[in-house]
Amino acid sequence: MADIEIKSRKMLKPSASTSDNLRILKLSLFDQLAPRSYVPILFNYLPSSTSSYDKLEKSLAETLTKFYPFAGRFGKDDPFSIDCNDEGVEYVQTKVNADDLPEFLRRQANDIESSLLHLLPVMVHMPSSPLLGVQVNVFNNGEIAIGIKVSHIIADAFTIATFVNEWAHTCLITGTISTQDTTNNNFFPSFGQLSSLFPARVLQLPSPPNTSTTDPEIVTRRFVFDALTIENLRKTIKDDSTTDDDMIKQPSRVVVVMSLIWKVLTHISSAKNGNSRNSSLGFAISFRGKLSCVPSLEHALGNYVTIAIANLEASDHSRKDDQLNDFVKLVGNTIRDTCVAIGKASSVDDISSLTVNNWKNGVEKLFQGDTMNTYITTSWCKLPWYEADFGWGKPFWVTRVGFNAIEGVFLMDTKDGNGIQVTVCLKEKKMTEFEKHLDILSSTPIVG
C-alpha cells in the first residue's frame, strides 16, 4: 500500500527461554470450540514527546516470557496442544505517510474497514503460523496505531486485554528502573488451569455451514450509543410489574443495545420476507466469577466462555407494535437462566456438558438459515481496553477490525466507559435498511 512503508519485519522471540516443564500446553475444551481465526484489534494513540518505539519491541519480548504460549506453535503430533517452543511472534514496524489516522482514512477509498486492515499484520491462520502478530504504525506527526492479531484458539477477550495491559505496563517502566524489575512481578499469568480441569476431547460436532461465495459482500459500519441515548432507550422500556428480576426491570447498557439491534434486524427480515420468522440471538457469557464447583479461575487465561441463545418465535413478533422490552425480556431471561445453570453446576462435567450442548444448539440454528434468522453478537464491554498506557498516554480509540467474514454485531465501551461503540457487519442491502432504522443514534463516526 502506497501510504504505508514497512520499515522492518521480524520474528520476535521471548527475552528468556521457556522452561522445559512449560514446553507443552494442552488446549481446553473451550479452546477446542473457539473459532479457527485471529482476533484483530487496533489501539490508537495521540502523538507525544515521550513516545519511544524501541521500547515497544523490548518490552514485548519481556512480556512474552510470561505469555509464553503466544510465541509457540500448534503441536505437530497433537492437535489439542501448543508447543511453547519460543519460535516467536510476527513483529512489523511501519511508517504511515499521513499526519494522523483520520487523514489516512480520508486518503483511501470509501471502504474504511479495508484501510484499517492495512494497519494490522498480514497473517494466515495455519498450523505452522505464529499465534500472535503485532504491527506498530507510526504516522508523520508521531501518532501511533498498534495493530494486534491473536489466535482465538489460545485467547478470549479477557486474555487479550490482560496481555495488552501487561505489555503496556512493562513498556511503561522499561528504562526507568533496574532491568530485573522491568516487568510486573505481582502478575503471574495462569496458563494450563483450564485444560487440566476441562481437557479437550474427541467430539462429534457439526460444522457451521460455509458462507456462499455468491452472497453479496458483507459491509461494516460503526455506530455510537452515548450514555444519553442509552438512557432514553431505557425510558421506552415499559415497567414489567410481573417480575422482581432487576435484569429485566433495570437492564444493563449491553442488554438494551443488543435488544434494540435484534429488534431492528427482525423487523428488516419481516419486511423482506413478507412474514415473521423464528429468530435467535446468540452471544457469549464468561464463566469467570460464576462457578462454585471448581477453584477460583477469575484470572485463568485462555478461552473460558459459553454460548447463550435467546429465541423468539415468529408468532410472538408478528404484531406491528413490538416493544423494545419484549426483546429486552428475552435477552435478560436468557442471561439469567444461563447464569443460574452455571451457578448450579456441581461438577466440571456439568459445565462441559452445558458448553457442548449450547455450542451444538448454536450451530444447529445456523444450519436453519433458510427458515429462520440467527444473529451473532459479541460484547467486549467492561474490559480495560482504554487502560493500556505504553508511556505516551491512554489510547484515544480502540476498535475491533476486520469482523466481516460473517454477519454479526460487536460491542465495545466508548472511551468514557458510559457509551457503547457498535460494529455491525451485514450484507450490503440489509445494511442500507439497518441504517434507516437506527435514526435514534447519536452519531455514526469514522473513528472515536
Side-chain angles (χ1 to χ4, degrees):
M1 190 178 193
D3 284 335
I4 298 182
E5 176 187 358
I6 295 178
K7 306 296 288 187
S8 66
R9 183 193 300 273
K10 66 173 64 176
M11 200 59 62
L12 184 65
K13 300 178 182 295
S15 60
S17 300
T18 300
S19 58
D20 291 341
N21 65 306
L22 299 176
R23 180 65 183 257
I24 301 299
L25 174 68
K26 294 292 186 178
L27 295 177
S28 73
L29 172 67
F30 313 111
D31 298 327
Q32 179 184 3
L33 297 176
R36 265 51 183 168
S37 60
Y38 290 107
V39 180
I41 186 168
L42 189 66
F43 293 78
N44 299 277
Y45 296 85
L46 295 172
S48 169
S49 58
T50 61
S51 299
S52 177
Y53 319 124
D54 294 337
K55 289 169 60 177
L56 282 172
E57 181 177 335
K58 182 177 185 294
S59 58
L60 177 56
E62 293 172 356
T63 305
L64 289 174
T65 63
K66 290 186 174 183
F67 288 80
Y68 52 91
F70 286 18
R73 298 293 185 272
F74 290 112
K76 294 181 180 179
D77 301 322
D78 182 0
F80 299 148
S81 71
I82 300 296
D83 185 358
C84 305
N85 53 17
D86 299 331
E87 282 195 25
V89 304
E90 182 86 0
Y91 188 78
V92 182
Q93 290 182 295
T94 77
K95 178 67 176 177
V96 182
N97 183 28
D99 285 341
D100 54 22
L101 182 60
E103 181 194 346
F104 169 73
L105 295 177
R106 284 195 298 269
R107 287 187 180 185
Q108 312 309 314
N110 293 328
D111 189 353
I112 294 172
E113 201 66 24
S114 294
S115 301
L116 291 175
L117 282 172
H118 289 294
L119 300 174
L120 296 166
V122 178
M123 303 176 71
V124 179
H125 203 277
M126 299 175 61
S128 60
S129 300
L131 302 179
L132 168 67
V134 173
Q135 184 168 312
V136 178
N137 307 278
V138 182
F139 292 79
N140 291 337
N141 69 346
E143 186 176 302
I144 301 170
I146 301 177
I148 297 173
K149 285 184 178 179
V150 186
S151 171
H152 206 327
I153 299 178
I154 61 169
D156 60 8
F158 174 88
T159 303
I160 298 171
T162 303
F163 160 72
V164 172
N165 277 279
E166 176 63 14
W167 175 22
H169 173 83
T170 303
C171 184
L172 184 65
I173 63 176
T174 295
T176 62
I177 54 180
S178 59
T179 302
Q180 62 268 28
D181 294 328
T182 54
T183 57
N184 182 3
N185 291 318
N186 294 322
F187 173 76
F188 298 96
S190 176
F191 289 101
Q193 276 187 301
L194 293 173
S195 57
S196 66
L197 291 169
F198 306 95
R201 60 187 69 179
V202 178
L203 297 171
Q204 296 297 323
L205 296 173
S207 299
N210 292 325
T211 302
S212 172
T213 55
T214 60
D215 284 344
E217 182 181 358
I218 293 175
V219 297
T220 300
R221 299 286 186 271
R222 287 179 176 79
F223 308 90
V224 166
F225 292 76
D226 61 23
L228 179 60
T229 301
I230 295 173
E231 186 56 34
N232 288 337
L233 284 171
R234 279 199 179 106
K235 292 178 181 178
T236 69
I237 300 172
K238 297 178 181 178
D239 180 32
D240 188 350
S241 58
T242 64
T243 180
D244 294 326
D245 193 338
D246 287 340
M247 189 173 294
I248 308 300
K249 285 191 170 185
Q250 298 176 328
S252 69
R253 296 175 303 137
V254 170
V255 169
V256 169
V257 173
M258 284 174 53
S259 301
L260 174 68
I261 291 171
W262 188 18
K263 174 187 174 183
V264 170
L265 290 173
T266 58
H267 285 194
I268 292 174
S269 171
S270 297
K272 175 185 175 183
N273 295 292
N275 61 278
S276 299
R277 306 172 73 184
N278 291 343
S279 179
S280 293
L281 183 73
F283 46 90
I285 292 181
S286 174
F287 284 116
R288 292 181 177 86
K290 298 183 179 69
L291 287 176
S292 58
C293 62
V294 294
S296 174
L297 295 172
E298 283 85 353
H299 303 292
L301 300 181
N303 291 283
Y304 196 28
V305 301
T306 188
I307 297 173
I309 301 174
N311 297 302
L312 178 66
E313 298 296 326
S315 58
D316 292 334
H317 68 103
S318 58
R319 309 183 313 273
K320 296 296 184 181
D321 60 342
D322 280 351
Q323 299 296 323
L324 177 57
N325 53 300
D326 295 335
F327 294 85
V328 168
K329 184 182 294 188
L330 285 171
V331 174
N333 285 340
T334 300
I335 294 173
R336 180 200 60 203
D337 294 345
T338 303
C339 290
V340 168
I342 292 172
K344 287 183 176 179
S346 59
S347 67
V348 295
D349 287 339
D350 289 345
I351 294 301
S352 298
S353 297
L354 172 70
T355 300
V356 173
N357 290 337
N358 286 357
W359 197 93
K360 286 182 176 179
N361 187 22
V363 173
E364 288 170 358
K365 298 288 185 184
L366 290 175
F367 272 115
Q368 300 175 41
D370 292 338
T371 59
M372 68 172 296
N373 299 316
T374 301
Y375 306 107
I376 300 172
T377 63
T378 302
S379 172
W380 277 9
C381 293
K382 295 186 178 180
L383 288 171
W385 304 111
Y386 284 93
E387 296 301 312
D389 183 354
F390 288 86
W392 49 81
K394 297 177 181 180
F396 70 84
W397 186 46
V398 182
T399 187
R400 170 85 175 252
V401 182
F403 187 57
N404 56 356
I406 59 174
E407 291 190 299
V409 180
F410 189 84
L411 282 66
M412 289 186 75
D413 290 320
T414 52
K415 186 175 182 179
D416 63 10
N418 298 318
I420 294 180
Q421 173 188 254
V422 182
T423 303
V424 182
C425 302
L426 296 171
K427 293 174 184 177
E428 192 165 6
K429 289 184 178 179
K430 191 184 297 183
M431 181 65 78
T432 300
E433 294 302 313
F434 183 82
E435 290 178 304
K436 291 178 182 177
H437 281 74
L438 287 186
D439 55 353
I440 47 79
L441 291 176
S442 59
S443 60
T444 306
I446 292 178
V447 298

